Structure formats: C-alpha cells, structure tokens
Amino acid sequence: MSQQYPALLVIVPLLSALLISIAGWVNKKLCFPIAVAALSVAALSSVGLLLRVLDEGVVLYRLGGWDPPFGIAYYVDHLNGLILNVVSFVALFNLIAAKKSVEQEFPEKIGPFYTLYVLMVTGLLGIVVTGDAFNLYVLLEIAALTGYGLLAMGEDRAPLSSLNYLYMGTIGACFYLLGVGYLYIVTGSLNMVDIAGILPNLYQSKAVLAALIICMVGVWLKMAFFPLHAWLPNAYTYAPSAASSLIAPLVTKVMIYVMIRLVLTVFTPKYAFDTLVISHSIVWLACIAIVMGAILALAQRNLKKMLTYVIVAEVGYMVGGFWLGNRDGMTGAILHIVNDALMTLCAFLVVSNIVYKVKGHKFEDLKGLFRTMPFTMGAFVVAALSIIGVPPTCGFFSKWYLISGGISAGQYGFVVALLFSSLINVILFFRIIEIAFYEPFGNDHAHTSQPECIKEAPLTMLIPLLIVAVGLVIVGVYTSDIVTHIIQFAIPKGIL
Amino acid sequence: MEVITSIKPLLAVLVSLLVVPILISSTRPNVREGWTFVAAIAKFLIVISMLPTILHGNEIVCTVAEVIPGIAIKFRVDALGMLFALVSSSLWIITSVYSIGYMRGLKEHSQTRYFCFFALCLSATIGVAFSANLLTLFLFYEMLSFATYPLVVHHQDEEARSSGRKYLLYIAGGSIAFVLPAMLISYNLAGTLEFSNQGFLAGTGSKTLMLILLLMFIFGFAKSAIMPVHSWLPAAMVAPTPVSALLHAVAVVKVGVFSIIRILTGVYGINLLASLNLGIVVCYIASFTIIVASLIALSQDGLKRRLAFSTISQLSYIILGVALLSPKGMAGGMTHIAMHAFGKITLFFCAGAIFVATGKKNISEMVGIGKRMPVTMVAFFIGALSVIGLPPCGGFISKWNLVLGTLQADQWPMLVVLLGSSLLNAAYFLPIVYKAFFCTKEESLFEKKIEEAPVWCVVPLAVTAAASIILFFYPQPFFGLANMAVKSMLGG
C-alpha cells in the first residue's frame, strides 16, 4: 500500500470527482462526505509520503510501470513532499469550513462545486508530485480550468473577471508549454531528471536560454508576479468564499513551487545562477512587486481585494528570496510557501466567515465585528500578526530567513522592500482592526456596558479557522525542525 | 558562579498567560479578580524564589525550544533581569488592587478584556526581563507592543483611536523598521544573538557600522521614549490610569530601557563601547532628552501629561547612567529602574485617585485639593520627592550614584545635566503640592470636607509611597542586584 502513495494521491481524488458529479444527480447530501473522504486519503498519503522521504530519501514512482524517460515518473523529494502536505491539508481544512457557506451561497450547485473542487485539488497535487515536464502542463490545465469554473460561480462580476483570468492563465500555460517544447527539441526528453542530465552540454545553446525565459514568464503569469498580476485581484475578490479560500492560498504557491522545481531540477542552479546573470535583475523585479503590491493594497476599500494585493506582494517575497540564490534566501522562499499558504488560508477563512454572517466584505461591513464575532476576529488578528511578521507566528520566521538571505547576498534593496512591506502591512491590518474595534462610535461609549450580542459563524466554519490560527503559531515554533529536517535537504548541496 | 537549569523562569512567564482563559470564561467579576490576584501573587512568589540563587552569584537558565537552527527561545535570569522582574511583578499585585478600585469606581466597560490583556502584558514583561538572547527579547517585546494596544485604546473613541495609531506607529514601526534589521545584521556579523557579559559584537565590524547599528537599536526600541521617538507616551495617556501607572511608568517603558541596557551591555559590551567612544554618544542623546522633556513638562497642565513628560526625562536618566560606563553610574542607572518605578507609580495612582474622586484631570483645577484628599496628596508629595531625588526617598539613592558616576567617568557636562534636571523636576512637581495644601479660602476649589477615593485606590498609593521611603533606608535587594550586574559586566 505504502508503495502506492504517489498514485493514490492523484487517482483517488480524480475518481472521487467523477463519483461526486454522479452523486450530485442522485443525492446532493452525498457530495460532501465523498469529497472529505477523498481529500482525507490524499492528506494521509501525503503524510505517509513525506515520512517515507524523510526515511529513505527520494521516492520514485513509475506510473503504470513504464520506466522513465519514456513513461511518466513521479518523483517525491523533500521539496515536494513538504508542498504536498501543504496542498492536501489546506484543501481539506478549507473543504470542511466551506460546507456551510456553499450551502448558503449556491445550494443548487453543490454537486458541480464539489466536483470542480476535488478535481482542482487533483490538478494541484499532480503538479507538485509529477516529475515530467509535459505531464505538469496537463495537470496545470486541469487545475486552471476547474479554477476558472470555481471562480466564475461567485458574485455578479465573477464571470467577467474569471474570463479575464482564463485569457491570462491560458497565455501563461501556453508560454510554459512553449518553453517545454524548446527543451524537447534540444534534448528529446520530457522527464525532468533526464533533461537535467542532458542539458549541461547545451548550456551555450540559445534555445535553452529561450526555454528558461519563456517558462519563467509563463510561470510568473500564473503566479501573478507583478506586473503580470492584473488578473488576480478581481478574480479572487468576486469569487465565492469557499473557492477563493482554496485558490488564494494554493495556486500562487504551487506555481512558485513549479518555478523552484524548474530552476533547481531541470535547469540546475549552476546554469540559472552561475552561467546566466539574471538573478539580480529578478530580485529587483521582486522588490518592485513587493512595494507595488503593498501600495496597491493600501488603496483598497474592500477587505478581500486588499488581501489579494497582499498576495501579490507575498509572491514578490518568494520569487525574490529564491532568486537571491543563497541558502538562507531559498530556505526563506520555501518556508514562506508553507507559511503564506497557511496565513492566506487563515485570512480568507475569516473573510468567508464574515461574508457568511454580514453578507459583505467591504470595509464598512466590518463595523463592530469584534463585538459580534470575537473568535473570528481573534483569528484575523493572528493572521494579521503573521502577515506582518511578528514572532512567534510563522510569518516572522520566513521573513527572518528572507531578510537574512538578502543581507548575506548584499541585496539591501530586497531587505528594504521587505521591511517596507511589513510596515505597510501594519497599517493595512490595523486599519481593518480599527474599523472592527471602534466603529460604530457610541454616544456614551466609554462608561456604559453594552449588551453582549455574539453572532458567530457556525462551528463547522469556526473550528477549522481556529485550528489554522493556532497552527500559525505552532508552525512558527517548529520552524527549526522544518528547516533542519526537510528544507535543508530540498536545497542542493552546492548552494551556500 | 554556577549556572542552574530550572523551569522557574518559564513558569514565571507563563503563569499570567495561563490564567487568561480562566479570566475570559469567568462570569462573576469577583471570581475574575480573584484569579488575577492568584496569578499576580504566584508570579511574584516564583520570582522571589529565584532571588536567593541570584544573590549568591548564580544564574538560572531554561531553554524552551530551538526555533531557528542555532537560536533558541531561551531564558536566563541574571542580576539585572532579576531586578526588573522583581519591580514589575511586585507592582503588578498593587496595581491589581488599584485597578479594581479604579475600574469599578468609574464603572468602565469591558473589564474582562482589560484584566486579560493586563495579564498578557505582565507575561511579556517578565519574558523580556529573563530573555537570554536578542531573539527572545524581540519576541516578548513585540508581544508586549500588541498586548498593550487594547489597553491604551480602552475607551474606543476617536481620541483613543488616534492615540492608538501613534502608539503603533512608533512602537511597532520602530521595532520592525530598525530593531529587526539591526538584529539580523548583528547575527550575520557575529553568528550569535546570545547576550554575554562582554557582548558579542566586539571585533566584527567597522566603527561606522557599529555606530549605525547602535542608533538603530536605540531609536528602534521606541518604548524607552528617548527623543525624538517619545511622542507616543503622552498620547498613550488616554488609557485608564492603572495602565498609565503600571505600563507607562513601569513595565512598557522600562522594557524599552531594559532592552537598550541589554544592547549596551550584553550585545556591545562595555569594552567595545568604551574603545569606540560610543558611550558618550548615547550620553548626549539621553541628556538632550532629559533636559528637553523636563522643560516640556513644565508647561503641561494635564496632570497625566506632565507625569508622562517627567517619565520621558527620567527614563533617559537610566540610559545615561549605563552609558556613562562607570561602575557607580551604571549601578545608579539600574537602581533607578526600581526607584523611579515606585515613585512614579505613586504619582500616577494619585492622579487616578483624583480623577475617580473628583473627575479632575488638569493641574489648574487642583488648587486646594490637599484639604479634600490629604492622604492622596501626601503620597503625591512623597512620590514627587522620590522622583526629584531628595531624601528621605528612594530616588535619592539612585540619583546620588548617578552623580558619583559622572564624576567617576569624568563627565562634567553630564553632572550639570543631572543637577539642572533635578531643579526642573522640583519646579514642575512642587507647585502642585504647594497649591494643593497652601492656598487661601478664595483660591480653593474644594470644600474642606475630607472625601478620598475608594479605599481600593487609596491603600495601593499609600503602600507605594511608603515603599518609596523605605527604599531610602533599605535599598536592597535592588541596589545590591544592580551592583552585582555591574560587577559582572565590568568583568568581575
């Protein structure tokens, strides 16, 4: 059984998605349990897989028994072992929290929603687990197409912004495919490890350079790396709560994983950092992304939209940290994939609780929420502190590594950009906290005790949120273990 | 010297954290306040139980978890940390008594929230006092920043909101923009963040870099309210008075000063500061604050605002004393942590008692109040004497040593600053007392009938006033601890 984890990870959700779509016709109540079961299997498999990787090192799985480079191979090492866990657990927690809000927002579309949801998670897990560059493209499209569907289910402007995302996402995926095509032309292989073995003789080839750049542009488009971010804010803002809290934490992070995988495994760090001299420029691009993301977030008057711009800034953190090219920077980037997925999940779950109760996510909808939804807002404060980077929440520790990497690489621009964004985050989040805490101002507020009127979201939404919020602190405290046991091995030995 | 491993420092930090869930869930105010006392007394007893070990010249360490490879959340109790922990944990008990009188006297809202965050703040304060390295200190420093925010903005009105903004801007902004990068640069230079008696930055960078880092630390730890990062403190006076008393005269501001002392002595080390002549730079920054803040205090009519500016000036005494780098000066500065705490908390308690009893906030409205509230105003007089630094009050001990320290360090300008500032202190405190007692019948704004604040308010301020006097005759264990700390920092 344990030999089959990599396959289970993808096959079980894939088949369950079919099952859910059938169940949707028969009895809508069956959809949710099937989805939970499927994602639980995926989550358990990813835990099992990570434990095996920690034990034995890289796990190679031949799909259908075909040997690479001709068959599709799944490689699981420390890097994607970690990311698999993030993806599967975030998806599972969000699924449980989503039940009530799905029932409230579109009771007639329960079947299609869960089908698309599970199918999308299949795609994301597949992207992370696969060791085949073309297979990755296929799974990328699965995740993207289901994502467009999920996002389009939202408020009135959702179909339009989802269509916009579809155009941009398709262009991004095409770029990636084009890059892979170049690689196939020069190497004759689609297996990542195989390509990496053939490439060193071709480092002088212009085609390889073109492949790298085209792939990167494609991936950047998909991860909303400024200035290729324009599709993201609207698509996520108008999406249904349950969909945005799946897609916002995971899609950009998985694409960052793809970038890291391409550079570390396919093109190899030696080529990307030593032969080419592009890493400095990319770090500067990341600085611009961070600063612009922060400034644009400041201009919003809508909580959900503000958070989407925070994501844009966070993408800059990870891209910049990775392209610093030193061990601290890469550790920070990989750690931040984990942390940012959790923080964003926490923040978006808060939004979905708020939307569930007050039917809005504009700033003026947030008045008095500390009184009516104290637990949700408590979780929001934890998420805010983590995004700001206050110890002992996890956001502090990835920022620690990122800044440390910036200092030892001598990239002080990146350090300043990170600090600037932290300061802006203080303003962003305390502005929200202020609205929820002070307003509406009473006449004789100070000396009268107002009646307690707690109107919290249902427990199935609240408990996953609180677990995630506590998780932000726990993951932070266990940073040292994550780094020494997992991330350290995910970064090639040559990088200091 | 022995190093003893014990879980006690962790317990001292956690005890008030653990009581928070009980406070939230208790429905009856009396039960809730009961638990606050349990936590406060337990915390004090745990701290006291470590005192003999420290006085014997030993240290207590406790490693909680290694959060970043090579850097742990770790506690280490030494003489300086012990001094600060003793002051804040003992005053928490008294402030809790006072809080009950004040909050109930004014029928404040959200008292549960108030007591919860108070407990959190004390956890963070003790955490800072016992930190063994810069990361742990930073962690608790930040925790304190965010835990005090709901206390500062307790009234939840427009004024509270704008003060809250200022508070966060200076305190959170300073620590993120300056302390965090300075800490990371230090780590990159030295490869460690562990405080040691000789510091860990020696020989790692050029003089310019050391100076820049030092300035980043000093202005980044904005809780010390050194000018020009002081203006959050007067703004924070919108908080309920017990908050101003314990947090903005003792815990929070002294966490800032304490952090700077740790930077000077544990990160840089006396020798490095002396060899690079950095101590004198800090002296001048501090003395500027001392004089200017005293001058501003003269012109304030709001009693709490005048006390706030007085605090700004007194905090810089402590920094000045340590930055003199002479044994007497350092001991005086560290002792001043305790002496100023007892004196200033008395003054704030009095200000709060006046507000509860009469609703008055401004000094000009307090003419003749000594006849109405004699106990309070006598206590105020004692607190003022202590802060000015006159016998028979504790403040004299620390100021005397500070003066001797300037002579030891051969810093005449600093001596002038200290004496000049003492005159200014007298000039802004004594008229209040004089006007309270000695005024004609026509001037007096109060009936001659004695009507004090609730007994829950009056007893604490009488206790702290008495303590200020006792500390003059018996300044132990604070003075002894300060001398021990200085001895170890100067290398035995």
Side-chain angles (χ1 to χ4, degrees), chain A residues 401 430 434 437-439 446 480, chain B residues 66-67 69 109 153 156 165:
Chain A
Y401 276 106
F430 271 87
E434 278 185 354
F437 185 69
Y438 298 99
E439 296 177 23
S480 173
Chain B
E66 200 177 87
V67 281
H109 70 296
V153 301
Q156 289 178 259
R165 280 185 187 164

Side-chain angles (χ1 to χ4, degrees), chain B residues 46-181:
Chain B
I46 297 170
V47 171
I48 276 283
S49 74
M50 289 185 279
L51 182 61
T53 321
I54 305 301
L55 285 175
H56 283 109
N58 303 321
E59 280 182 356
I60 299 173
V61 295
C62 172
T63 307
V64 182
E66 200 177 87
V67 281
I68 297 176
I71 314 174
I73 292 181
K74 186 177 167 189
F75 297 114
R76 190 184 64 142
V77 189
D78 62 357
L80 176 61
M82 191 68 204
L83 190 163
F84 183 41
L86 262 185
V87 172
S88 35
S89 64
S90 59
L91 287 176
W92 186 29
I93 302 177
I94 302 174
T95 310
S96 299
V97 178
Y98 185 80
S99 288
I100 294 171
Y102 184 88
M103 299 301 275
R104 293 191 183 176
L106 291 176
K107 297 193 178 58
E108 284 280 359
H109 70 296
S110 305
Q111 293 192 18
T112 305
R113 181 180 80 205
Y114 170 88
F115 282 103
C116 286
F117 279 100
F118 226 118
L120 272 180
C121 286
L122 263 292
S123 270
T125 307
I126 302 293
V128 169
F130 290 164
S131 293
N133 55 42
L134 200 47
L135 182 76
T136 314
L137 188 140
F138 185 77
L139 188 158
F140 286 105
Y141 183 93
E142 288 286 62
M143 179 175 157
L144 185 60
S145 308
F146 291 104
T148 34
Y149 178 77
L151 295 173
V152 172
V153 301
H154 186 84
H155 293 309
Q156 289 178 259
D157 50 15
E158 279 94 342
E159 194 193 357
R161 181 170 69 177
S162 65
S163 298
R165 280 185 187 164
K166 206 169 210 179
Y167 189 77
L168 280 178
L169 173 75
Y170 280 90
I171 289 187
S175 65
I176 291 172
F178 297 120
V179 177
L180 180 61

Side-chain angles (χ1 to χ4, degrees), chain A residues 15 31 35-36 38 62 95 105 113 119 134 159 191 197 282 311 318 429 455 467 480 488:
Chain A
L15 295 179
C31 298
V36 171
R62 299 173 187 81
L95 180 69
E105 284 182 39
F113 178 84
L119 211 50
F134 182 74
N191 181 288
I282 297 176
I311 296 176
M318 287 173 270
F429 285 99
K455 280 181 269 172
I467 293 175
S480 173
Q488 200 200 120

Side-chain angles (χ1 to χ4, degrees), chain A residues 1-2 4-6 8-9 12 36-52 81 84-85 88-89 92 125:
Chain A
M1 189 65 181
S2 72
Q4 304 295 332
Y5 281 145
L8 285 179
L9 206 58
V12 171
V36 171
L39 293 190
S40 304
V41 171
L44 291 178
S45 313
S46 58
V47 172
L49 209 47
L50 181 61
L51 291 177
R52 247 184 84 188
L84 280 176
N85 279 281
S88 57
F89 276 95
L92 180 61
L125 288 170

Side-chain angles (χ1 to χ4, degrees), chain A residues 174-427:
Chain A
C174 286
F175 266 89
Y176 173 76
L177 185 62
L178 196 63
V180 171
Y182 273 51
L183 282 180
Y184 185 63
I185 292 169
V186 291
T187 64
S189 176
L190 289 171
N191 181 288
M192 292 183 185
V193 176
D194 197 37
I195 297 175
I198 299 168
L199 273 188
N201 300 323
L202 301 165
Y203 278 166
Q204 301 311 318
S205 155
K206 290 278 186 291
V208 177
L209 175 63
L212 174 70
I213 291 175
I214 294 172
C215 278
M216 280 303 132
V217 172
V219 174
W220 286 342
L221 231 169
K222 298 283 278 184
M223 72 170 72
F225 183 50
F226 185 90
L228 306 173
H229 70 288
W231 56 269
L232 184 139
N234 280 344
Y236 287 6
T237 305
Y238 301 112
S241 320
S244 51
S245 53
L246 171 74
I247 296 174
L250 291 184
V251 171
T252 50
K253 258 53 79 181
V254 166
M255 293 319 294
I256 284 160
Y257 160 77
V258 172
M259 176 185 80
I260 295 177
R261 173 61 76 199
L262 284 176
V263 174
L264 289 189
T265 304
V266 179
F267 292 98
T268 66
K270 191 172 178 305
Y271 179 65
F273 293 110
D274 298 342
T275 313
L276 301 182
V277 279
I278 52 171
S279 58
H280 274 274
S281 325
I282 297 176
V283 173
W284 279 109
L285 283 177
C287 296
I288 298 172
I290 294 169
V291 171
M292 289 309 291
I295 292 174
L296 288 170
L298 209 50
Q300 306 307 318
R301 299 294 300 168
N302 177 317
L303 173 59
K304 209 168 170 186
K305 203 160 191 180
M306 182 195 98
L307 290 174
T308 62
Y309 281 104
V310 172
I311 296 176
V312 172
E314 302 274 342
V315 167
Y317 283 29
M318 287 173 270
V319 174
F322 176 74
W323 284 96
L324 286 172
N326 57 25
R327 188 161 276 272
D328 274 355
M330 288 192 189
T331 307
I334 297 170
L335 192 59
H336 205 64
I337 294 181
V338 181
N339 294 347
D340 193 43
L342 295 178
M343 290 161 0
T344 315
L345 175 68
C346 191
F348 273 82
L349 285 179
V350 169
V351 173
S352 82
N353 281 8
I354 293 174
V355 171
Y356 187 85
K357 275 320 228 191
V358 302
K359 310 279 182 298
H361 41 70
K362 293 201 179 69
F363 280 6
E364 54 265 30
D365 297 322
L366 307 174
K367 288 178 182 171
L369 278 185
F370 268 101
R371 194 164 288 280
T372 51
M373 305 177 78
F375 293 103
T376 301
M377 290 313 287
F380 180 76
V381 172
V382 177
L385 293 181
S386 186
I387 294 173
I388 294 168
V390 178
T393 54
C394 58
F396 170 76
F397 295 99
S398 36
K399 204 164 272 178
W400 173 279
Y401 276 106
L402 290 170
I403 296 179
S404 180
I407 292 173
S408 50
Q411 288 273 17
Y412 288 96
F414 186 62
V415 175
V416 171
L418 284 175
L419 296 174
F420 174 78
S421 138
S422 303
L423 290 174
I424 296 291
N425 284 342
V426 175
I427 299 175

